[in-house]
Amino acid sequence: MVTTSTAAPAASTNLTDGFHMLVQSLLKNDLNRMYGVIGIPVTDVARIAQAKGIRYIGMRHETDAGNAAAAEGFITGKPGLYLTVSAPGFLNGIVPLKEATENGWPVIMMAGSSSRELIDLGEGDYEGLDQLNYAKPFAKAAYRVDKVEDIPLVVARAIRAACSGRPGGVYIDLPGDTLGQTIDATVAEGLLYKVNDPAPAQIPAQHVVDEAMAVLASAQKPLIYLGKGAAYAQCDDEVRQFVEATGAPYLAMSMAKGLLPDNHPQNAASARGMTMREADVVVLLGARLNWMLNFGKGKHWNENVKFIQVDIDPTEIDNSRYIAAPVVGDLKSTVGLFNDYLAAHPFKADPAWLEAIQADSAKNNARFGGAETVGTVPMNHYNALGAIKKVTDANHDVYIANEGANALDDCRDIIDMYLPRHRLDCGTWGVMGVGLPYAIGAAVTTGKPVISIHGDSAFGFDGMEVEAICRYNLPVTVVVLNNGGIYRGDFKNLGTDGDPSPLTLAACAHYEKLMEAFGGTGYYATTPAEVQQYVAEGVASGKPTLVCCELSIHAGKESGHITYLNPQPVTGPLVGNEQEDLAEHREGGKLVD
């Protein structure tokens, strides 16, 4: 006979709560760094995380926190983690969530939020917003946790979603009342677990590999294109073996630079235009045929080119054109199978093809290389960056963060990279405001020195993060290339109101004073020799440093290398000298050779 008691169960005296359970779930999965801007209702998430051994990096803006975490995800292959408050803080945080998803980097955003019943009835809660549904279009996946016992599950699902397949950004919605829920600590401990194999290998079928290699074997002028997906995949040895086994020239997207050192004899970067126009078979390793590669068609490509595309996401195949040999799989497994095939069926590109590229490279380098070393004052982007190149050539393990228009384009072309995943820039979306947070993420993650190179316009998006660099005493040397404007500083106001041009900024600014204000070291450089000296001193010191470089206001061109994306205005309404003034500041854009 079963007896039912009507007495209330004894209250547990061994309680934990949602705050602690979240932190323990993160630690269980080796997520031991967190970036953020905190307040109601997540203040104690950060404080408890710090107490339990998670390193918390407090940023000055939620967008920067997300970008710093995303940089960590790219470098490590493990989700970066960031924390924001509700509503306005959340909205700031979804920008880098989308950026990470577009870039294919794993990151997890956690944000405090209002109770669901208040949101659903529109009762006007403090910073009330239906954050889960706002996040969904900007993330690879989005989850809300309403019960304290589900916290380990939501962390596990977020990790798996962020890492598996094409990586991306994942959002976790944390209502304040969930964080405050309590549970017996022993029960909570039993619910914790570590995700098993969050990014399983995706191995293509052998016949697909055979077909792709048959297409490669038909090439007269093969080309290998490396994307940041190949850098992220950490298959450095496999990629090097494949490139060198084929003898084919290769090109690297900006964040794939260093996957093989830029001084590798098969690097065709200095003959990019010729290589793309003449290549008849192109192997895409982690590179997408999006706007950065002209969608794989048009005047920049051989009319009859065939593509072998390796991608972990099947929906990327045929995204913009026909792909002759699609190979869906993870890069490490796939390139390993390519190497096995080549070991049994060797293929070597015609040496005359690589020799022709090397000859074109030598001609282009002789034609343009001198601009990097001239002592012209006021400086331009070329000789200022050439001075920095002397420092990086002597310090291969330095990380580079980079943003701007000309500051980005010219840096990518001038400064060589020697190690993988050491260059971080605006990526697939081409956004601003990533430089300093990427630098912070790289410095926090690796402990290695970072040079963060910005145009003066780009620096305005994230410049306040120099305070975070100083507060955490990070080994970051910031360089601001100041030409006094967006693109450059000599644009004219086409009206008569006397205001500066919409593109004009302060050419006389001393940005180094901002670093000095927070205890770092500031330098003002007017010559290439000073740039080299000051950047070298900053890197050697391992301390927060900012070098403000005075460039000519005439240095640079509108929109950098992507002027062709700028629509042309109708000329009719412009009168007097307005059309002439506008035209003199426009230059035709093209993919740079």
Side-chain angles (χ1 to χ4, degrees):
M1 176 175 161
V2 178
T3 303
T4 303
S5 172
T6 58
S12 173
T13 58
N14 183 33
L15 294 177
T16 189
D17 53 37
F19 295 104
H20 288 84
M21 198 161 187
L22 175 62
V23 169
Q24 295 293 353
S25 295
L26 298 174
L27 287 169
K28 189 77 171 180
N29 285 278
D30 300 323
L31 298 180
N32 51 19
R33 280 182 293 269
M34 181 190 300
Y35 307 81
V37 179
I38 60 168
I40 299 170
V42 294
T43 305
D44 283 337
V45 171
R47 290 198 287 216
I48 293 168
Q50 191 177 62
K52 296 295 184 182
I54 292 177
R55 189 179 186 194
Y56 177 80
I57 306 296
M59 307 288 285
R60 299 306 297 263
H61 196 277
E62 293 89 354
T63 298
D64 298 337
N67 281 322
E72 178 170 327
F74 172 63
I75 292 169
T76 66
K78 187 173 72 174
L81 188 68
Y82 66 109
L83 178 68
T84 80
V85 299
S86 53
F90 157 81
L91 290 171
N92 288 337
I94 61 173
V95 175
L97 192 69
K98 178 62 172 174
E99 290 169 14
T101 301
E102 291 296 320
N103 278 333
W105 295 357
V107 73
I108 296 172
M109 173 187 177
M110 304 185 302
S113 67
S114 300
S115 299
R116 189 77 208 186
E117 65 271 16
L118 298 174
I119 295 302
D120 289 347
L121 288 177
E123 295 184 58
D125 193 23
Y126 167 75
E127 293 188 349
L129 187 70
D130 189 1
Q131 293 173 197
L132 178 65
N133 285 311
Y134 271 82
K136 286 178 179 178
F138 299 94
K140 183 182 176 187
Y143 307 107
R144 178 185 177 93
V145 57
D146 292 307
K147 297 190 297 182
V148 64
E149 58 265 35
D150 287 337
I151 288 175
L153 176 63
V154 79
V155 169
R157 294 194 67 185
I159 292 170
R160 191 170 295 282
C163 293
S164 61
R166 168 160 291 155
V170 179
Y171 174 66
I172 299 177
D173 197 64
L174 298 170
D177 52 8
T178 303
L179 293 171
Q181 288 178 23
T182 60
I183 186 173
D184 181 86
T186 303
V187 173
E189 178 67 27
L191 294 172
L192 299 175
Y193 67 98
K194 185 174 182 177
V195 177
N196 182 22
D197 193 15
Q202 296 188 29
I203 304 172
Q206 186 61 49
H207 74 88
V208 173
V209 172
D210 296 348
E211 291 164 6
M213 292 298 94
V215 173
L216 178 61
S218 72
Q220 300 299 309
K221 295 181 176 182
L223 168 64
I224 299 169
Y225 228 123
L226 306 176
K228 65 178 176 295
Y232 170 81
Q234 303 205 16
C235 52
D236 312 340
D237 293 341
E238 289 86 352
V239 168
R240 177 189 282 271
Q241 181 182 340
F242 178 68
V243 170
E244 293 179 348
T246 64
Y250 75 89
L251 290 168
M253 303 298 287
S254 62
M255 278 186 275
K257 282 167 62 70
L259 190 53
L260 281 77
D262 278 343
N263 59 1
H264 194 284
Q266 289 168 248
N267 186 0
S270 294
R272 184 176 186 269
M274 168 191 167
T275 307
M276 289 172 61
R277 286 190 300 269
E278 296 189 18
D280 57 356
V281 173
V282 177
V283 183
L284 298 169
L285 298 181
R288 289 176 276 184
L289 291 177
N290 54 22
W291 69 275
M292 289 188 285
L293 290 180
N294 288 94
F295 308 101
K297 51 196 174 187
K299 63 181 181 180
H300 298 288
W301 291 100
N302 181 332
E303 181 180 0
N304 299 310
V305 64
K306 294 179 180 178
F307 285 97
I308 301 167
Q309 184 171 6
V310 181
D311 203 287
I312 201 165
D313 181 2
T315 66
E316 192 63 44
I317 307 298
D318 296 326
N319 180 61
S320 57
R321 57 154 296 149
Y322 171 73
I323 300 300
V327 185
V328 176
D330 72 272
L331 266 293
K332 189 175 182 69
S333 299
T334 301
V335 180
L337 290 173
F338 284 177
N339 290 331
D340 292 344
Y341 183 97
L342 291 175
H345 311 87
F347 165 79
K348 202 80 171 179
D350 184 348
W353 166 228
L354 184 58
E355 289 167 7
I357 290 170
Q358 291 170 336
D360 193 58
S361 296
K363 179 185 70 175
N364 290 335
N365 289 338
R367 190 166 137 201
F368 298 112
E372 302 168 15
T373 57
V374 296
T376 306
V377 175
M379 293 183 288
N380 55 41
H381 294 88
Y382 299 108
N383 59 356
L385 288 164
I388 299 171
K389 172 179 166 61
K390 293 177 181 178
V391 179
T392 57
D393 282 348
N395 297 275
H396 289 184
D397 203 17
V398 168
Y399 283 77
I400 297 291
N402 187 205
E403 64 179 340
N406 296 281
L408 170 75
D409 296 332
D410 296 334
C411 177
R412 179 181 58 214
D413 293 341
I414 291 170
I415 294 183
D416 289 332
M417 303 305 300
Y418 299 93
L419 294 171
R421 296 169 294 282
H422 275 56
R423 177 180 167 84
L424 299 98
D425 64 35
C426 63
T428 305
W429 252 17
V431 296
M432 297 293 183
V434 299
L436 284 184
Y438 282 176
I440 290 170
V444 168
T445 301
T446 69
K448 298 293 180 65
V450 181
I451 301 175
S452 190
I453 302 171
H454 309 246
D456 52 319
S457 171
F459 183 71
F461 286 81
D462 50 27
M464 194 61 183
E465 295 299 347
V466 299
E467 187 275 333
I469 291 171
C470 290
R471 186 165 19 107
Y472 292 95
N473 195 30
L474 298 176
V476 177
T477 298
V478 182
V479 180
V480 180
L481 303 178
N482 184 15
N483 63 352
I486 300 172
Y487 309 134
R488 63 178 189 245
D490 60 352
F491 291 91
K492 300 176 183 178
N493 181 340
L494 300 183
T496 58
D497 59 15
D499 284 343
S501 156
L503 298 103
T504 299
L505 300 171
C508 60
H510 281 258
Y511 292 106
E512 79 282 3
K513 299 297 184 184
L514 184 60
M515 180 66 82
E516 292 174 358
F518 298 111
T521 300
Y523 297 102
Y524 192 83
T526 60
T527 68
E530 289 176 345
V531 173
Q532 181 182 352
Q533 176 189 342
Y534 298 153
V535 172
E537 289 177 4
V539 170
S541 75
K543 302 293 185 182
T545 304
L546 194 152
V547 183
C548 181
C549 303
E550 181 185 308
L551 270 55
S552 167
I553 63 170
H554 307 296
K557 61 183 180 181
E558 184 170 345
S559 301
H561 291 337
I562 55 173
T563 304
Y564 69 98
L565 294 177
N566 235 357
Q568 298 287 326
V570 175
T571 59
L574 298 177
V575 296
N577 291 329
E578 293 175 3
Q579 179 60 32
E580 179 182 344
D581 290 342
L582 188 62
E584 75 180 43
H585 297 300
R586 285 192 175 277
E587 299 181 36
K590 64 182 180 66
L591 286 172
V592 71
D593 285 340

